[in-house]
Amino acid sequence: MTSVTTNLQDGPAPVNALEVRGLVKHYPGVKALDGVDLVVRQNEVLGLAGENGAGKSTLLKALVGLVRPDAGEIWVRGEKVKLRSVVDAADHGIGMVFQEQSLVPNLTAAENIVLGSEGAGVRRGIYRWDTMRKLAQEQLDKIGSHIDPLARTDSLSFADRQMVEIAKVLRIEERTSNPPVIILDEPTSVLESAEIETLFTQVRRLREFASVVFVSHRLDEVLDVCDRVSVLRGGQSVGEVPTAGAEPADLHRMMIGSTGSDDHYHEGLAEHSDEPARPRLVVKSMSGSTFRDVDLEVRAGEIVGIVGVHGSGREDVCRALFGAEPTLSGEVTLDGEKLDLSGTRGAVASGVGYVPAERKIEGMVGPMSVADNMMLTKQKARCTGPMVVPKKQATLVDQWIERLSIRTPHRGTQIGRLSGGNQQKVVLARWLVAGDIRLLLLDHPTRGLDIGARSEVYRLMRELANSGVATVLLADSLEEAIGMSDRIIVMNDGRATKEVSCPSGGKPTPLDLVKEMV
């Protein structure tokens, strides 16, 4: 397959929906964009691919007015524009569904959907709730969502909030008379299969009257729903390909400059020993508000996946094992000792680590440095007696930056400036710096990561298992759960209903699990 590098030519040509010409953006120690070119044609779905840190997020933020480029031009429907804010971009018909979500949690779904474009929903400064609900319902109906428009946003699941995000950006149809440009940044990262197919149906509908920029690290999704794919690497445009006849390996080759390995789950790294006869984690009849009578065992050096459809209770089980979700009954022991689940402090003190699904909300403090985020839960590791020793902290942090290949200008760089994959590696390192972790709870640890960053996380998980860490995994996909787990627990309607063995060479298929999940 031959890749075609994008060339912007002078002379008469069809007016494109959106053009980026030579965009440049610098941050301290980082050149995020280095002369990026991009063309989005009318009535097409353009995929945007690249590894974490390739410049995708910076480019998208520039297109919706959140980042002002240092050089270069943005053209919308043949007109050169300056996009100084999200409102400015919306006025030009550009809207975006953000990967990390941009909803106001204490407002209703309806308020979020019409925020900034309430129209008839407000009269003399007072909400007309019947009208607000109707306006929001119109958008929710487009994507087949059954969310109550008057439900508070913070009461919704992550997946439901993502559907609200999508409904919100579709309001741009009413805001502009021009064909809109809709940017979808990792819209499927927390959606189930049925919801993904609903979204793809909506994306194909959008193509009839709009242009779409679709970003996903799931390369098979990009090839499924897009007409063309433009690839970034190291802040530069490296080419574009039509999706017809293309394979994920073709895109991966362009993203990293070489062919990716099919063995990205690193099964060969697992070296399980018969020595630990007794399970490390034992859960007996644990019940909570969304799950009941859950039994679970995880041995030292074992990775146990938990799968289930949205609402099965698996996320709450994971949080309960960290003391972040209350339990009503049951007993949990770690290496034969009762585990205190009254709060997260007791779990951490017992050697339990937790990587949450919502990395930027629960897993890190954006304005703080890489070093401070890495040391948040292991303060004693940087102290001698009661005193913090800066040199000791610096040495420890630098060791983990090197070991995990964390791409950061400096340990003092704000973690919020790093790519998603590097942020995730810092969150993982937080539980490893003191070397006393016994149980690691991973809730969608590869969410939003490109194939290269996911592969690095998989390798680290295998290394931790080989060192004796017991791991509970809530995977990003059934394929990931199957590829990484030694055993899989299926949850259905709040109960653990089936245990499936996953030996090397005898793995179940996704269909085998789906039959048990529904």
Side-chain angles (χ1 to χ4, degrees), residues 191-211:
L191 303 184
E192 303 291 344
S193 297
E195 294 168 321
I196 290 174
E197 190 52 46
T198 298
L199 171 65
F200 283 5
T201 299
Q202 181 63 20
V203 170
R204 295 179 182 109
R205 186 193 73 83
L206 286 172
R207 183 196 281 119
E208 298 175 3
F209 63 91
S211 301

Side-chain angles (χ1 to χ4, degrees), residues 52 217-219 264 266 446-459 476 480:
N52 290 102
H217 288 117
R218 298 172 180 174
L219 300 183
H264 52 285
H266 310 299
T446 62
R447 174 175 290 166
L449 305 190
D450 62 67
I451 191 169
R454 288 202 306 269
S455 185
E456 291 179 9
V457 171
Y458 297 150
R459 183 176 294 277
D476 205 39
E480 182 177 271

Side-chain angles (χ1 to χ4, degrees), residues 88 238 398 417 470:
D88 199 11
V238 295
D398 287 346
R417 293 188 177 275

Side-chain angles (χ1 to χ4, degrees), residues 382-395:
R382 63 176 179 173
C383 298
T384 298
M387 304 298 293
V388 173
V389 181
K391 186 176 181 180
K392 185 176 182 180
Q393 170 176 299
T395 300

Side-chain angles (χ1 to χ4, degrees), residues 27-46:
Y27 293 110
V30 178
K31 198 169 190 178
L33 299 178
D34 188 11
V36 169
D37 296 332
L38 187 75
V39 173
V40 183
R41 299 169 187 157
Q42 297 280 9
N43 304 110
E44 79 162 349
V45 181
L46 176 72

Side-chain angles (χ1 to χ4, degrees), residues 281-518:
L281 173 71
V282 177
V283 179
K284 293 183 178 179
S285 301
M286 185 174 72
S287 297
S289 59
T290 60
F291 57 89
R292 56 196 181 279
D293 298 325
V294 171
D295 294 330
L296 175 67
E297 291 186 357
V298 186
R299 300 179 184 277
E302 188 178 34
I303 299 175
V304 174
I306 305 179
V307 302
V309 299
H310 174 60
S312 65
R314 62 178 186 145
E315 289 86 359
D316 290 334
V317 166
C318 190
R319 291 175 62 85
L321 291 174
F322 189 60
E325 187 83 14
T327 56
L328 303 177
S329 62
E331 182 179 280
V332 180
T333 59
L334 192 65
D335 287 331
E337 298 180 357
K338 185 176 180 179
L339 185 60
D340 179 11
L341 299 181
S342 61
T344 59
R345 186 184 298 273
V348 173
S350 297
V352 181
Y354 172 60
V355 175
E358 299 189 50
R359 178 174 58 243
K360 290 197 173 182
I361 298 175
E362 297 181 314
M364 59 182 240
V365 184
M368 289 175 60
S369 69
V370 168
D372 287 340
N373 270 278
M374 197 179 291
M375 304 303 297
L376 269 176
T377 59
K378 300 294 181 181
Q379 298 293 329
K380 290 183 180 180
R382 63 176 179 173
C383 298
T384 298
M387 304 298 293
V388 173
V389 181
K391 186 176 181 180
K392 185 176 182 180
Q393 170 176 299
T395 300
L396 193 58
V397 169
D398 287 346
Q399 285 175 351
W400 282 100
I401 287 175
E402 180 179 1
R403 180 174 174 183
L404 300 184
S405 301
I406 299 172
R407 297 176 185 175
T408 177
H410 188 266
R411 76 179 83 91
T413 301
Q414 286 185 359
I415 191 173
R417 293 188 177 275
L418 305 188
S419 67
N422 288 296
Q423 290 172 352
Q424 190 71 318
K425 285 189 277 187
V426 173
V427 175
L428 279 166
R430 174 183 306 148
W431 303 108
L432 309 178
V433 290
D436 60 354
I437 196 75
R438 293 191 286 169
L439 172 65
L440 187 59
L441 309 168
L442 302 176
D443 188 353
H444 293 80
T446 62
R447 174 175 290 166
L449 305 190
D450 62 67
I451 191 169
R454 288 202 306 269
S455 185
E456 291 179 9
V457 171
Y458 297 150
R459 183 176 294 277
L460 178 59
M461 289 171 61
R462 290 295 188 196
E463 290 178 358
L464 290 170
N466 291 338
S467 70
V469 173
T471 303
V472 174
L473 171 65
L474 273 59
D476 205 39
S477 66
L478 291 179
E479 290 80 5
E480 182 177 271
I482 293 167
M484 289 304 300
S485 302
D486 301 299
R487 288 183 295 117
I488 291 178
I489 305 299
V490 179
M491 289 197 64
N492 191 333
D493 195 24
R495 292 180 180 272
T497 57
K498 183 77 172 181
E499 178 179 310
V500 181
S501 180
C502 298
S504 181
K507 298 282 190 179
T509 67
L511 182 58
D512 293 332
L513 298 180
V514 170
K515 290 177 180 177
E516 303 294 337
M517 290 164 53
V518 297

